[in-house]
Amino acid sequence: SVVAIDRETKKIKGVGLEAKRMLGRTPEGVIAVRPMKDGVIANFDVAEKMLRHFLRLVIDRTILKVKPSVIVCVPSGITEVERRAVRDSARSAGVKRLLMVAEPMAAAIGVGLPVETPVGSMVIDIGGGTTNIAVIALSGIVCDASIRTGGDELDQAIVQYMRKTYSLLVGEPTAERIKIRIGSAVPLMPEEELDVKGRDLVSGLPKIVRIDSSGVRDAIQEPISRIVNAVRRALEMTPPELASDILERGIVLTGGGALIRGLDQLLMDETGLPVQVAENPLSCVALGAGR
């Protein structure tokens, strides 16, 4: 969720992927804004514009006179104030009826887990701003843990690491590319290398450095251990009957963060439970909301 806006006219230049490609590349008059921070709305006006844009994409112009009903997925640990922000921005974007679903619930439905049965299912949804962990049974969340650590924080950790270790300044899109290409939660066999372009902090000139996957793994160690600890916390709160179900059925990983190599292996080693990554983790939540 990125929106590119003209500073003066406040007109939208691009939304979504198109605007994401502009991150760190915009001229003076244009700014690329992330209206969502840590899974909740940080910039109210821009969030409303973004919603309006998405609604226009999917709704035929003629129907726009009829206000649509919308389902929004929110982090499970969201506060009442943050809920109101979601409600208000949806209202001003022209939504008649708004329903909110907890992200892990939507993810579980998207993966196809039997949420309405009395059998416990555990879902870990690692998004950009938040990680939501929930144990679900009988169409409700029995216990959950939500932390404000996600893919964005891993990118930030990589940016800091490049500054400290190589005195190289890189933008968020580059950091994300490093994370996707050679980021991992457990040692790789063999370790991989990648050329990274950025600006030298000493000379101020562009330069290329070669980095390896073990360094990147150390860089993202802290946020990843926070995710592991949150999983532990959720498991500690789980009622024993459901805990035995999870032992049998395992944990499902969803969200973009689930694509980090070896994360399932790391969680398996830390919890002793079977862990599997959902089929298309990026769109589980959206598919679940649709269903």
Side-chain angles (χ1 to χ4, degrees), residues 156-220:
Q156 283 303 322
I158 292 171
V159 170
Q160 294 303 328
Y161 162 75
M162 295 303 293
R163 278 187 83 131
K164 276 196 200 120
T165 318
Y166 300 98
S167 305
L168 192 76
L169 204 57
V170 296
E172 255 177 62
T174 303
E176 188 180 28
R177 200 167 65 246
I178 295 170
K179 174 182 74 178
I180 292 169
R181 291 282 291 281
I182 61 170
S184 69
V186 293
L188 297 174
M189 301 297 286
E191 295 288 354
E192 293 174 16
E193 292 188 332
L194 183 69
D195 286 338
V196 178
K197 306 180 186 95
R199 195 178 87 216
D200 192 334
L201 280 168
V202 185
S203 69
L205 302 171
K207 78 164 182 183
I208 297 180
V209 296
R210 197 166 186 79
I211 62 168
D212 63 351
S213 51
S214 62
V216 176
R217 189 168 54 255
D218 293 343
I220 61 175

Side-chain angles (χ1 to χ4, degrees), residues 235-258:
L235 283 166
E236 279 165 15
M237 298 186 298
T238 308
E241 290 301 320
L242 293 178
S244 62
D245 289 341
I246 295 165
L247 190 60
E248 212 171 285
R249 309 171 53 107
I251 301 171
V252 178
L253 270 180
T254 70

Side-chain angles (χ1 to χ4, degrees), residues 2-59:
V2 184
V3 182
I5 290 182
D6 189 306
R7 270 225 169 103
E8 285 180 7
T9 61
K10 296 278 183 277
K11 275 219 170 99
I12 288 184
K13 292 278 190 189
V15 177
L17 261 182
E18 187 189 348
K20 191 180 173 200
R21 293 198 186 101
M22 300 182 192
L23 271 181
R25 296 168 186 264
T26 54
E28 237 172 63
V30 180
I31 41 171
V33 189
R34 285 173 173 265
M36 312 289 290
K37 186 96 185 75
D38 297 336
V40 293
I41 292 172
N43 188 324
F44 191 82
D45 298 338
V46 180
E48 178 204 326
K49 283 185 176 137
M50 182 178 75
L51 275 176
R52 206 167 259 169
H53 175 85
F54 288 145
L55 286 172
R56 271 202 206 108
L57 282 182
V58 291
I59 295 174

